[in-house]
């Protein structure tokens, strides 16, 4: 499912880069305008998976070391790539100064609105994830003490917060950014709370089919509503239900195409694919002038080329950077039971 979310973000950026012109481009823009919800899926799934895998009596420092091993090598590699491109082929990636670049390297850049797309533009979501990781040991210490009813209340309150934040923002013109880590925290919390309900056998949500329908319905609702609702508010219910239903299906051994080995492998590459694809597209934009909008054939060619190059680089990043660095950073830490 991570791969599906990463691919949805890729297609969203194809729309943003205006590869497709004419009437088809307008239709595509409407259909794919909500593709940014793929990031919301990552946040919810992150909360769910971290709560699932958190070990009994694990020290916070060990947990943070695992998280650094998971995200930091690829982040540094793509940040270095972005910096090299900024001073050669893609000057639009150039940071405003050393503080902005350092803030991005330390994963705190999104706390300042002007820096939210520092260096590698998609790394803003890692700034949010870094905040979630920092807070997670304390969050989980609370979650593990709650029974089914308080967990259900927390999950519902977090879901309500995701839906209400854009309402409050639009009503009072507070200027909250959807890239600000605190604004995205409820998505992470609802994922973790849903996980605990599944672990306790207390999840009472719908099955995979109904959950998928809820997610699709939420995606369709993005079109007529203000853009502030398109980041997470419309789809949070469907995504929480879908992730939880998939976990229950896995536990019950229900057949699922999501377990196909090729999809699992793509899921392993999905983080690297997400981190590199926008740099590929920005480079292609400079080298081949893929926008303004193209006719159908060249637009399809540009999209296919961007996808294949991104996928190839994602494989290389996963094998050469992510796996090797993770093994090196985690030396001496006992593997999962």
């Amino acid at each position: 499912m991570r791969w599906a979310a990463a691919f949805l973000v890729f297609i969203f950026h194809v729309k943003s880069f205006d590869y497709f012109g004419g009437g088809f481009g307008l239709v595509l823009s409407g259909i794919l305008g909500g593709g940014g919800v793929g990031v919301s899926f990552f946040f919810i799934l992150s909360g769910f998976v971290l709560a699932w895998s958190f070990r009994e009596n694990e020290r916070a420092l060990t947990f943070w070391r695992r998280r650094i091993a998971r995200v930091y090598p690829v982040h540094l590699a793509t940040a270095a790539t972005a910096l090299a491109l900024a001073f050669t082929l893609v000057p639009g990636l150039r940071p405003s100064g050393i503080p902005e670049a350092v803030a991005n390297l330390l994963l705190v850049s999104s706390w300042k609105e002007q820096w939210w797309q520092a260096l590698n533009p998609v790394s803003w979501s890692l700034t949010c994830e870094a905040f979630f990781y920092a807070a997670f040991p304390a969050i989980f210490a609370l979650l593990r003490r709650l029974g089914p009813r308080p967990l259900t209340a927390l999950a519902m309150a977090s879901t309500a917060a995701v839906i209400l934040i854009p309402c409050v923002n639009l009503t009072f013109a507070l200027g909250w950014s959807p890239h600000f880590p605190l604004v995205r925290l409820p998505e992470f919390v609802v994922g973790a709370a849903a996980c605990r309900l599944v672990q306790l056998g207390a999840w009472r949500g719908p099955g995979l089919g109904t959950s998928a329908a809820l997610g699709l319905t939420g995606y369709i609702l993005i079109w007529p509503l203000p853009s502030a609702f398109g980041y997470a508010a419309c789809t949070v219910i469907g995504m929480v239900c879908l992730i939880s239903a998939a976990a229950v299906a896995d536990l019950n051994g229900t057949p699922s195409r999501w377990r196909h080995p090729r999809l699992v492998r793509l899921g392993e590459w999905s983080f690297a694919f997400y981190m590199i694809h926008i740099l590929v597209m920005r480079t292609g934009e400079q080298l081949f002038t893929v926008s303004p909008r193209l006719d159908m054939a060249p637009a399809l060619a540009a999209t296919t080329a961007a996808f294949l190059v991104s996928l190839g680089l994602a494989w290389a990043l996963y094998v050469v950077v992510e796996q090797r660095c993770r093994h090196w950073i985690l030396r001496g830490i006992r593997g999962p039971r």
Side-chain angles (χ1 to χ4, degrees):
M1 285 184 173
R2 280 209 312 266
W3 168 250
F7 185 74
L8 185 62
V9 174
F10 170 79
I11 294 297
F12 172 71
H13 286 139
V14 168
K15 186 272 298 184
S16 299
F17 275 70
D18 284 337
Y19 281 19
F20 290 86
F24 182 76
L26 292 174
V27 173
L28 192 69
S29 179
I31 294 175
L32 301 177
V37 298
V39 177
S40 177
F41 184 91
F42 291 145
F43 291 159
I44 298 169
L45 183 65
S46 180
F48 193 101
V49 171
L50 290 185
W52 191 274
S53 60
F54 197 77
R55 300 172 188 179
E56 204 72 30
N57 300 321
E58 183 173 38
R59 294 185 305 166
L61 287 177
T62 302
F63 168 77
W64 290 327
R65 186 174 168 186
R66 291 183 189 280
R67 292 295 89 208
I68 289 172
R70 174 71 179 89
V71 303
Y72 220 77
V74 172
H75 167 56
L76 289 181
T78 52
T81 302
L83 199 59
L85 290 172
F87 288 94
T88 53
L89 297 173
V90 193
L93 292 174
R94 192 172 300 178
S96 61
I98 293 177
E100 180 181 346
V102 172
N104 179 262
L105 293 176
L106 296 178
L107 292 178
V108 294
S109 49
S110 285
W111 290 93
K112 184 173 181 177
E113 174 64 21
Q114 294 84 348
W115 293 352
W116 76 274
Q117 282 194 314
L119 292 182
N120 186 2
V122 298
S123 62
W124 71 265
S125 63
L126 279 192
T127 301
C128 296
E129 289 281 4
F131 171 60
F132 303 159
Y133 298 160
F136 181 74
I139 292 173
F140 191 76
L142 170 65
L143 293 178
R144 67 189 301 178
R145 288 171 171 78
L146 298 181
R149 288 186 178 180
L151 282 169
T152 300
L154 178 61
M156 293 177 67
S158 300
T159 302
V162 175
I163 296 171
L164 291 176
I165 282 174
C167 295
V168 175
N169 191 27
L170 290 174
T171 302
F172 297 100
L174 297 177
W176 288 336
S177 168
H179 314 104
F180 192 65
L182 273 174
V183 172
R184 308 309 293 263
L185 181 62
E187 295 160 69
F188 179 81
V189 172
V190 71
C195 170
R196 289 293 297 149
L197 287 170
V198 172
Q199 286 180 320
L200 296 174
W203 176 257
R204 298 294 181 264
L208 274 172
T210 304
S211 298
L214 282 172
L216 180 60
T217 302
Y219 188 86
I220 293 172
L221 287 175
I222 292 174
W223 303 341
L225 293 176
S227 60
F229 292 89
Y231 296 98
C234 291
T235 52
V236 59
I237 295 175
M239 287 181 175
V240 173
C241 291
L242 184 62
I243 291 168
S244 302
V248 171
D250 285 348
L251 291 172
N252 294 336
T254 305
S256 172
R257 292 182 180 180
W258 293 110
R259 295 195 207 102
H260 192 282
R262 290 179 182 174
L263 282 177
V264 172
R265 178 59 55 86
L266 288 171
E268 292 172 345
W269 300 352
S270 62
F271 174 58
F273 178 84
Y274 170 78
M275 291 296 290
I276 197 65
H277 79 277
I278 199 75
L279 299 180
V280 171
M281 297 172 81
R282 291 293 298 270
T283 304
E285 184 179 43
Q286 294 294 317
L287 292 177
F288 306 110
T289 317
V290 295
S291 60
R293 297 177 177 183
L294 303 172
D295 293 333
M296 178 71 73
L300 284 173
T303 301
T304 303
F307 173 76
L308 292 177
V309 171
S310 299
L311 189 63
L313 291 175
W315 168 79
L317 280 170
Y318 176 74
V319 173
V320 178
V321 177
E322 185 174 338
Q323 283 192 313
R324 293 185 180 182
C325 291
R326 186 190 306 175
H327 176 74
W328 179 75
I329 294 171
L330 296 181
R331 284 183 304 177
I333 294 182
R334 188 176 300 175
R337 294 187 297 274

